[in-house]
Amino acid sequence: MKPVGRVVVTGAAGFVGSALCAELVRQGWSVIGLVRVLPERVVAGVAYIAADLQHADLATLVSDPVDAVIHTAARAHRLNEPLEQAESVYEQANVTMSRALADAAIDWGADRFVFLSTCGVLGNRSDGVPLNESSPPTPQTPYALSKLAAEQSLFDVFAECPERLVILRPPLIYGAAAPGNFGLLLRLVHSGLPLPFAGVHNRRNLVALDNVVDIICLCLSHPAAGGQSFIATDGPAVSTRQIIEALASGMDRHPRLFALPDRILAGLARLAGCTRAYEQLTQDLECSNARVQRLLGWRPVIASQDGLEAAGRGFAARHTIPTRHSAPRR
C-alpha cells in the first residue's frame, strides 16, 4: 500500500506521541519518530531517530522531504531546579527548540506543522465563562508561559505561510498511562484510600488521549485547519467527584469519598505544599469545543464517562497482581 505521506513526530516515545504514531501507521502514514532515547517498546512501522533535539542539527536529521511535522515533545514539569533555572529550561526546551524545529520543517518541505500547546495559555480557571480561542492569554505557570511564547514564535516563523501551522490547546489529557497529576489520581483511586472530594462540584473539561490523537490526525489534512488554533475536549465538563467515580467504576471499585469544608481542605493542601494541586482539583476550568466542531466538523470519538472508565480499567489491568491459585493437595 502506498503511504498517505511522510510525517515526523517529536516525542514519539511519550504518552501522546506513542499513541499518535500507532494511529498514523494504522492510517497508512510513513512515520519518522524523533526520540531522545530509543524506547524499549517500539511501535511497529515507525522509523525511530534518537537525538537530543535541543543540540542536534535538525535540518540534516531527516534526509528526505516530509509532508507534515507534529511537535508533541515538551518539558512539562519542573524537576528539582530553582524557579529561575526552571524558567530557563522551559525557554530552551519549549520555545527555542520549537522555533528550530519549525525552521527545519520548512527545510524539509512540510506543508503542515501541528503544535501541541496547552489550554493553560488561556489561564487556569474559567470563573463561570468557558474559555475559547478568543479568550485573552493569561498563563499562570512557567510551562504555560513557555508554551505561549512558543506559539508566538511559531507565528513568526510561518508568517509568510500561515496555512501550514495548526496549534492545538488541549486541557488535561488523560489515559491509563497518563503521567503527572492524573497519574497520581489514578494511583490514589486504585489504592482504595479515602479521598476528601465528595463535596467538590467544580466544572472541568478534560480530553481523552484517543480524542487528542483523532483531532491531530484530522488537522494533518483538513484544509480548514491551516492557520488556526483549536481547543479540543471530550465535551461536557465534569467535576472532580465525577472523575473519581468514573475511574473507580472502571477499576471495579467502590469510590471511597468523604467531604471536608473547603477552608479545611485548602488549609491541609497548604500545609502539605500542594496548593496548586488543590486548585486543579477544586476550581472550574471549562473550555469550549465550538470552533473545532464548526470549522472541521470534529466530534469526540469517546465521551468523558467512557474515556475515564477505560482509563481506570486500563490502569487496573496494568497494576493488579494476578491471584495465584494453589495446586490441589493430593
Side-chain angles (χ1 to χ4, degrees), residues 152-325:
Q152 294 167 339
S153 183
L154 292 176
F155 283 128
D156 291 341
V157 173
F158 291 101
E160 296 183 3
C161 48
E163 72 284 353
R164 297 189 186 187
L165 177 63
V166 182
I167 292 174
L168 296 179
R169 293 170 168 173
L172 187 147
I173 303 171
Y174 69 87
N181 288 335
F182 192 84
L184 174 59
L185 185 60
L186 281 164
R187 293 193 294 274
L188 287 172
V189 175
H190 190 254
S191 73
L193 291 172
L195 300 174
F197 302 114
V200 177
H201 301 288
N202 58 333
R203 304 289 298 163
R204 188 177 189 91
N205 281 107
L206 309 174
V207 62
L209 177 60
D210 287 350
N211 286 332
V212 172
V213 168
D214 187 66
I215 194 171
I216 290 175
C217 292
L218 178 62
C219 286
L220 284 180
S221 57
H222 200 298
Q228 297 290 336
S229 297
F230 295 115
I231 294 171
T233 77
D234 290 347
V238 293
S239 68
T240 295
R241 175 174 182 158
Q242 289 173 315
I243 293 170
I244 292 171
E245 289 173 342
L247 293 176
S249 175
M251 295 175 183
D252 197 24
R253 292 171 179 262
H254 181 73
R256 302 190 65 190
L257 290 163
F258 66 98
L260 280 179
D262 288 344
R263 65 181 184 280
I264 295 178
L265 191 55
L268 291 173
R270 188 165 52 252
L271 288 172
C274 301
T275 298
R276 185 163 179 267
Y278 161 78
E279 291 173 348
Q280 290 178 325
L281 289 166
T282 58
Q283 290 179 347
D284 290 342
L285 184 55
E286 293 186 83
C287 312
S288 172
N289 254 353
R291 176 184 285 183
V292 71
Q293 292 182 343
R294 183 179 72 255
L295 292 184
L296 306 189
W298 181 78
R299 298 294 183 273
V301 296
I302 189 168
S304 289
Q305 180 70 29
D306 294 335
L308 289 165
E309 287 185 2
R313 191 161 47 249
F315 183 88
R318 293 167 180 236
H319 294 83
T320 299
I321 301 174
T323 302
R324 293 185 178 181
H325 299 284

Side-chain angles (χ1 to χ4, degrees), residues 97-144:
M97 187 177 75
S98 295
R99 185 181 186 103
L101 185 69
D103 287 333
I106 292 175
D107 291 339
W108 298 336
D111 293 321
R112 185 59 48 92
F113 187 98
V114 180
F115 177 60
L116 191 65
S117 186
T118 171
C119 191
V121 302
L122 303 176
N124 60 1
R125 58 190 302 166
S126 52
D127 294 326
V129 180
L131 302 176
N132 60 50
E133 290 82 356
S134 299
S135 299
T138 54
Q140 300 296 310
T141 67
Y143 170 67

Side-chain angles (χ1 to χ4, degrees), residues 36-58:
R36 183 176 290 273
V37 295
L38 294 176
E40 293 182 4
R41 294 184 178 182
V42 300
V43 175
V46 175
Y48 290 97
I49 298 176
D52 181 350
L53 298 186
Q54 293 186 58
H55 301 100
D57 181 1
L58 297 180

